């Protein structure tokens, strides 16, 4: 028989389709369950009645419930109906709805928020299971009326092949009820699944915008830090990541970015870079919400960095938002260390519980002030704070740019002296001696030292003796562990071509560099040569041979053993570097320096007090006698660091009218800076308004360790009237004025 004849002559066994072999016990159980389920459905429908009975009845769940339970109730009317086939496998759709309600009730009872993505994924999986389960059970039962009978596995295989659009054709429904059933199921699948997939994809895309969640398992097994910021600016994030991961001990840490804003295209590209993709996790949320802090596992974090809100035009409002976030973090995770960045110095007191508080205005103005004392200091500090490999500017045609870029790679490193090859040999020597010879020998600059159990000493000078347990802070291109020990002058005799002088001392090395004075930073004079044919040193030695240029030479043996007080008072350009400074010479040297400074101050005061007609309150004719070294009597904000400064006496404190440089008052008739006849050039600070951070600009310029004769007038060029509290604070400082104006006027 051909296949066509086979299909046309197929006889449907309706008895096998409509009737099943059901025992009385099984029938009794099914009837009981159906009655209970029907009563429960009717009761729930009645209790949820809201005025429209038709709307309550015409629902998918109610129709399926009625289709699977009412026929069992009907079988009670006639015993012959007990073997009637009833599609109880459709109850899987009711189970799906019950599962959704159960999870919602469970999370509501446990006060646990279920993820929208996991909820949609659960619904999709349940829908797929119901579709496949209904199709398998339906095709297996309907094929009982055909010639080809399928068991459950064969039915499952046929459904998978059909829905995957493969269609091998080894199993084919041979009767029209089975074929119609599969058509209906395919149509249902094409309607239901795309809607579920669309919801899932939409939820996933929204989840991608909100970032992920740092899992509890990862938080327990890995270390991570949380960075809270209101706006993810690419430059700020990159600076933080580069500086954070520059430390070798932080390479295994994860960084979790918590921000309420969405990622822009630039940030998305940055987070997809392989260098950051595996270590940086973005989570959209707010530090003010406990749910978002739980998502980033803040309680298990090693630290929390709270960056200032730079998207605010009002810096005060930005600090207020930062303070609120810091308080929320402190309340949620009291033991988590915080590193907080604020703009205004007066706001530091509100986050004093933080591990470190960085105030931008305070640091900025203090750096500007020190830059006035030591020009170029701001560039040095900026380069030291930024991690660099020293590759910047190497492609430039200008030599100074290449040198600048190379030296920008210098960093501050620290090492214990007993473990150091750079400084270990200088145990028992002075700090200056160790710094000088380490720079000459290895090209590193020793800038500070921390004795055991004490604070860090920045350039303590020759009075400090290096000990084995000292922590040495040095500036170098790379740390000592990664350095190749190549001497800067491996053969100084050959380099100087017979013109160098040996400084004989036990265990001393050849010296080809000099110091300007004891206690200063070592400067290597590798290319300095005398213009004359010879240069004497302590009687002088001439170069051997004609036409050979000589280098700067050092004092002889006797002068190298100890410092000369007279030579130190004259500040020679060439001086020896002793291993240990004698106590008597140190006392005499300090006495000579103090006496020279006092003489200079007296001379300046005598010269300045001859032709000054203004009153002593406003003028600077008494700008030495009226100054006292003391702590400031008044600060513009709390938590200001107390420092010894030059200030006016109580009786000489200037009134507010004398602080404005361009306005005449009853004490002073001057209307411009020329009328004051200042001896030193003034320092002008232009600002939009009188921020409390300007106090940190004035204090370093009035520090007590500066010579009184070197104090320079300070003029604050402000665009707005300062408040009285600010004027009260600056009225204690000598030679500080203000005026309304702008650099654009």
């Amino acid at each position: 028989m051909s296949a066509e004849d086979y299909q046309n002559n197929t006889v449907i066994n309706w008895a096998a389709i409509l009737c099943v072999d059901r025992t009385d016990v099984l029938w009794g159980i099914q009837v009981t369950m159906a009655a209970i389920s029907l009563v429960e459905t009717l009761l729930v429908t009645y209790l949820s009645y809201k005025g429209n009975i038709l709307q309550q009845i015409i629902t998918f769940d109610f129709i399926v419930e009625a289709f699977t339970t009412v026929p069992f109730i009907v079988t009670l009317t006639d015993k012959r109906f007990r073997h009637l086939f009833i599609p109880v496998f459709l109850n899987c759709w009711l189970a799906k709805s019950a599962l959704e309600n159960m999870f919602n009730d469970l999370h509501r009872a446990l006060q646990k928020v279920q993820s929208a993505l996991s909820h949609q994924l659960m619904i999709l999986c349940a829908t797929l299971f119901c579709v496949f389960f209904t199709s398998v059970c339906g095709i297996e039962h309907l094929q009982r009326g055909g010639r080809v009978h399928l068991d459950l596995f064969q039915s499952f295989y046929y459904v998978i092949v059909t829905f995957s659009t493969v269609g091998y054709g080894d199993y084919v429904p041979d009767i029209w009820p089975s074929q119609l059933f599969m058509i209906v199921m395919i149509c249902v699948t094409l309607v239901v699944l795309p809607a579920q997939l669309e919801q899932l994809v939409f939820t996933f895309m929204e989840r991608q915008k909100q970032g992920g969640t740092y899992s509890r398992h990862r938080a327990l097994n890995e270390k991570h830090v949380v960075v809270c910021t209101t706006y993810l600016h690419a430059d700020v994030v990159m600076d933080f990541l580069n500086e954070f991961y520059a430390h070798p001990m932080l390479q295994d840490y994860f960084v979790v970015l918590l921000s309420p804003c969405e990622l822009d295209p630039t940030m998305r590209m940055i987070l997809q870079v392989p260098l950051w993709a595996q270590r940086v996790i973005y989570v959209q949320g707010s530090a003010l919400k406990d749910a978002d802090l739980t998502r980033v596992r803040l309680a298990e974090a090693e630290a929390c960095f709270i960056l200032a809100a730079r998207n605010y035009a009002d810096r005060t409002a930005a600090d207020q938002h930062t303070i609120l976030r810091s308080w929320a973090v402190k309340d949620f995770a009291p033991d988590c260390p915080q590193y907080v960045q604020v703009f205004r110095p007066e706001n530091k007191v509100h986050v004093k519980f933080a591990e470190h508080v960085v105030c931008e205005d305070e640091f900025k103005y203090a750096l500007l002030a020190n830059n006035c004392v030591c020009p170029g200091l701001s560039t040095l500090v900026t380069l030291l704070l930024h991690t660099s490999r020293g590759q910047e500017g190497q492609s430039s045609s200008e030599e100074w740019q290449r040198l600048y870029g190379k030296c920008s790679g210098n960093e501050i490193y620290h090492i214990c002296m007993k473990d150091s090859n750079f400084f270990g040999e200088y145990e028992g020597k002075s700090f200056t001696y160790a710094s000088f010879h380490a720079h000459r020998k290895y090209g590193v600059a020793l800038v500070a030292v921390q004795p055991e159990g004490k604070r860090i000493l920045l350039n303590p000078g020759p009075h400090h003796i290096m000990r084995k347990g000292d922590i040495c802070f040095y500036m170098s291109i790379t740390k000592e562990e990664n350095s190749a020990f190549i001497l800067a002058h491996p053969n100084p005799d050959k380099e100087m071509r017979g013109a160098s002088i040996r400084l004989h001392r036990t265990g001393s090395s050849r010296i080809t560099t000099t110091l300007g004075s004891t206690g200063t930073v070592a400067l290597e004079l590798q290319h300095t040569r005398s213009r004359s044919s010879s240069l004497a040193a302590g009687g002088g030695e001439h170069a051997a041979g004609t036409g050979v240029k000589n280098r700067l030479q050092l004092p002889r043996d006797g002068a190298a053993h100890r410092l000369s007080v007279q030579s130190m008072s004259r500040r020679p350009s060439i001086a020896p570097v002793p291993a240990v400074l004698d106590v008597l010479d140190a006392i005499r040297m300090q006495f000579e320096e103090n006496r020279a400074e006092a003489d200079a101050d007296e001379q300046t005061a005598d010269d300045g007090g001859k032709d000054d007609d203004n009153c002593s309150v406003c003028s600077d004719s008494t700008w030495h006698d009226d100054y006292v070294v003391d702590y400031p009597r008044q600060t513009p904000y709390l938590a200001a660091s107390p420092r010894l400064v030059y200030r006016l006496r109580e009786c000489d404190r200037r009134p507010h009218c004398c602080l404005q440089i361009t306005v005449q008052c009853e004490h002073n008739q001057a209307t411009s800076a020329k009328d004051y006849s200042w001896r030193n050039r003034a320092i002008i600070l232009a600002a939009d308004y009188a921020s409390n951070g300007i106090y940190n600009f004035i204090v370093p310029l009035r520090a007590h360790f500066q010579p009184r004769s070197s104090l320079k007038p300070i003029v604050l060029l402000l665009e707005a009237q300062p408040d009285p509290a600010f004027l009260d604070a600056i009225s204690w400082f000598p030679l500080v004025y203000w005026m309304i104006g702008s650099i654009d006027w």
Side-chain angles (χ1 to χ4, degrees):
M1 181 181 296
S2 63
E4 184 179 356
D5 295 337
Y6 178 83
Q7 293 291 338
N8 294 332
N9 294 325
T10 301
V11 179
I12 302 177
N13 187 2
W14 291 102
I17 297 176
L18 298 178
C19 299
V20 294
D21 186 12
R22 183 183 292 120
T23 62
D24 294 340
V25 176
L26 179 59
W27 172 80
I29 296 175
Q30 289 180 332
V31 169
T32 304
M33 297 298 297
I36 296 175
S37 179
L38 182 60
V39 171
E40 180 186 1
T41 303
L42 294 175
L43 181 60
V44 171
T45 303
Y46 174 77
L47 294 176
S48 59
Y49 174 69
K50 296 181 181 179
N52 191 347
I53 188 62
L54 190 61
Q55 183 179 0
Q56 297 294 118
I57 295 177
I58 306 178
T59 58
F60 178 77
D61 292 347
F62 189 85
I63 294 175
V64 173
E65 183 71 31
F67 191 70
T68 56
T69 56
V70 172
F72 281 106
I73 305 300
V74 174
T75 59
L76 295 175
T77 60
D78 193 341
K79 187 176 181 181
R80 292 176 299 177
F81 292 157
R82 294 182 181 181
H83 297 282
L84 180 66
F85 170 74
I86 301 173
V88 292
F89 55 82
L90 295 179
N91 286 325
C92 65
W93 295 96
L94 300 177
K96 170 180 170 294
S97 300
L99 181 65
E100 296 179 18
N101 297 331
M102 183 183 68
F103 271 95
N104 293 334
D105 295 340
L106 180 63
H107 285 88
R108 189 183 303 111
L110 298 178
Q111 297 295 323
K112 182 178 179 181
V113 180
Q114 185 183 16
S115 171
L117 183 62
S118 63
H119 181 72
Q120 292 294 334
L121 185 60
M122 182 196 68
I123 294 177
L124 177 62
C125 293
T127 303
L128 286 174
F129 174 79
C130 292
V131 169
F132 282 106
F133 183 75
T134 303
S135 301
V136 170
C137 295
I139 195 64
E140 188 273 336
H141 176 74
L142 292 176
Q143 275 303 117
R144 295 178 181 179
R147 294 184 179 181
V148 180
H149 294 182
L150 302 177
D151 57 17
L152 286 178
F153 179 77
Q154 292 172 344
S155 300
F156 177 74
Y157 169 77
Y158 168 74
V159 170
I160 293 296
V161 170
T162 301
F163 280 99
S164 62
T165 68
V166 176
Y168 290 118
D170 46 356
Y171 294 102
V172 179
D174 56 353
I175 56 177
W176 67 265
S178 301
Q179 297 169 354
L180 180 61
F181 175 78
M182 290 307 301
I183 292 175
V184 173
M185 291 306 302
I186 291 175
C187 293
V188 170
T189 304
L190 293 178
V191 172
V192 175
L193 288 185
Q196 297 291 338
L197 288 174
E198 181 183 4
Q199 291 292 332
L200 180 63
V201 172
F202 176 78
T203 306
F204 178 76
M205 295 300 295
E206 292 297 322
R207 178 68 176 273
Q208 286 294 102
K209 295 180 181 180
Q210 297 180 1
T213 299
Y214 197 75
S215 64
R216 180 179 297 273
H217 175 74
R218 177 180 289 181
L220 295 177
N221 295 277
E222 303 287 349
K223 296 181 179 180
H224 75 286
V225 297
V226 179
V227 180
C228 300
T229 179
T230 57
Y231 180 72
L232 291 174
H233 194 274
D235 294 338
V236 176
V237 174
M238 285 302 300
D239 287 342
F240 178 85
L241 294 178
N242 288 326
E243 299 300 329
F244 182 80
Y245 285 114
H247 199 287
M249 298 184 63
L250 302 178
Q251 298 299 317
D252 296 333
Y253 279 65
F254 286 87
V255 174
V256 182
L257 302 176
L258 179 62
S259 175
C261 66
E262 296 183 3
L263 293 177
D264 56 13
T266 304
M267 280 301 305
R268 290 186 183 277
M269 292 181 60
I270 292 176
L271 297 184
Q272 290 177 359
V273 175
L275 181 62
W276 313 120
Q278 302 299 326
R279 297 190 291 181
V280 181
I281 301 173
Y282 163 72
V283 177
Q284 185 177 12
S286 174
L288 301 177
K289 298 180 180 179
D290 290 349
D292 294 332
L293 296 179
T294 303
R295 291 172 57 199
V296 299
R297 307 299 174 190
L298 184 65
E300 293 84 10
E302 299 294 325
C304 179
F305 296 87
I306 303 179
L307 305 184
R310 296 190 174 274
N311 56 327
Y312 282 83
D314 186 2
R315 295 299 178 89
T316 302
D319 281 350
Q320 292 173 357
H321 190 80
T322 302
I323 293 169
L324 288 178
R325 288 184 294 161
S326 179
W327 288 353
V329 171
K330 181 66 175 179
D331 182 67
F332 183 84
D335 298 330
C336 182
Q338 292 188 38
Y339 300 84
V340 184
Q341 179 189 18
V342 295
F343 289 114
R344 303 305 185 199
E346 60 269 19
N347 295 323
K348 293 196 307 178
V349 67
H350 301 298
V351 289
K352 62 181 181 180
F353 52 80
E355 191 79 10
H356 290 286
V357 180
V358 178
C359 179
E360 185 173 297
D361 280 3
E362 191 176 55
F363 180 78
K364 176 179 63 178
Y365 285 116
L367 190 61
L368 286 175
N370 286 279
N371 197 59
C372 296
V373 178
C374 180
L377 181 64
S378 60
T379 304
L380 174 64
V381 173
T382 302
L383 293 177
L384 289 177
L385 291 179
H386 284 79
T387 302
S388 173
R389 297 182 179 272
Q391 303 298 327
E392 293 81 357
Q394 298 306 307
S395 59
S396 176
S397 58
E398 298 291 338
E399 181 180 358
W400 72 270
Q401 292 183 1
R402 296 193 298 271
L403 181 62
Y404 180 87
K406 179 182 178 181
C407 295
S408 66
N410 282 283
E411 304 275 350
I412 297 293
Y413 302 98
H414 68 279
I415 191 173
C416 186
M417 186 174 181
K418 62 181 179 181
D419 302 327
S420 173
N421 292 323
F422 286 161
F423 315 107
E425 58 184 295
Y426 306 116
E427 181 184 355
K429 310 299 182 182
S430 66
F431 174 86
T432 306
Y433 183 88
S435 177
F436 171 77
H437 286 283
H439 184 269
R440 172 195 173 274
K441 193 173 183 180
Y442 300 107
V444 298
L446 180 64
V447 296
V449 65
Q450 183 180 15
E452 289 185 282
K454 298 182 180 180
R455 298 187 303 173
I456 298 177
L457 304 177
L458 181 63
N459 191 15
H463 304 281
H464 178 78
I465 304 301
M466 305 296 291
R467 303 300 180 190
K468 183 182 297 184
D470 290 352
I471 302 297
C472 301
F473 295 84
Y474 61 96
M475 185 167 59
S476 177
I477 295 293
T478 182
K479 60 181 181 179
E480 180 177 338
E481 291 82 348
N482 300 335
S483 301
F485 295 97
I486 302 176
L487 299 182
H489 301 282
N491 194 349
D493 287 339
K494 183 178 180 180
E495 180 183 356
M496 297 189 64
R497 302 168 70 177
S500 62
I501 296 179
R502 298 191 178 187
L503 183 62
H504 297 283
R505 184 182 58 81
T506 304
S508 64
S509 59
R510 301 180 184 274
I511 299 179
T512 58
T513 61
T514 60
L515 282 178
S517 62
T518 304
T520 60
V521 179
L523 301 177
E524 191 172 2
L525 306 177
Q526 300 184 17
H527 304 289
T528 306
R529 293 180 173 85
S530 61
R531 296 186 178 182
S532 61
S533 59
S534 62
L535 179 65
E541 288 189 10
H542 298 278
T546 59
V548 179
K549 296 182 179 180
N550 295 336
R551 295 177 178 267
L552 292 177
Q553 300 176 355
L554 299 177
R556 286 185 175 274
D557 300 347
H561 182 67
R562 63 183 181 89
L563 290 176
S564 173
V565 175
Q566 292 77 7
S567 64
M568 291 304 302
S569 63
R570 292 192 298 269
R571 298 286 186 180
S573 60
I574 302 176
V577 183
V580 180
L581 186 66
D582 293 343
V583 177
L584 181 60
D585 284 346
I587 297 176
R588 291 177 178 177
M589 181 179 64
Q590 186 67 30
F591 174 76
E592 292 292 337
E593 291 179 352
N594 294 339
R595 187 177 66 178
E597 179 180 338
D599 293 342
D601 291 344
E602 292 176 1
Q603 181 65 28
T604 305
D606 294 340
D607 296 341
K610 297 178 180 179
D611 53 353
D612 207 323
D613 298 332
N614 297 328
C615 79
S616 61
V617 177
C618 303
S619 66
D620 59 342
S621 61
T622 57
W623 74 335
H624 300 314
D625 297 336
D626 294 340
Y627 301 170
V628 295
V629 177
D630 195 3
Y631 292 102
R633 287 294 184 89
Q634 185 175 353
T635 58
Y637 63 94
L638 297 177
S641 301
R643 297 179 182 178
L644 288 174
V645 295
Y646 289 116
R647 69 166 181 84
L648 298 174
R649 295 188 178 94
E650 184 73 30
C651 59
D652 297 325
R653 181 185 177 186
R654 295 179 296 169
H656 291 182
C657 60
C658 297
L659 298 178
Q660 194 167 3
I661 193 173
T662 58
V663 177
Q664 296 180 353
C665 65
E666 59 181 344
H667 310 98
N668 185 20
Q669 302 300 319
T671 58
S672 65
K674 293 182 180 180
D675 299 336
Y676 287 88
S677 301
W678 291 325
R679 295 158 189 81
N680 297 327
R681 302 176 65 179
I683 298 175
I684 302 176
L685 175 65
D688 52 352
Y689 75 102
S691 168
N692 291 329
I694 297 179
Y695 174 80
N696 298 280
F697 178 83
I698 300 175
V699 168
L701 296 176
R702 294 294 178 263
H704 73 284
F705 53 80
Q706 295 189 18
R708 300 190 181 191
S709 59
S710 66
L711 298 183
K712 298 180 180 180
I714 302 174
V715 179
L716 306 179
L717 187 60
L718 308 175
E719 298 181 8
Q721 178 81 16
D723 55 68
F726 178 81
L727 296 178
D728 289 340
I730 67 173
S731 62
W732 290 96
F733 295 99
L735 301 177
V736 178
Y737 307 90
W738 72 275
M739 61 175 291
I740 296 292
S742 173
I743 58 176
D744 298 329
W745 296 356

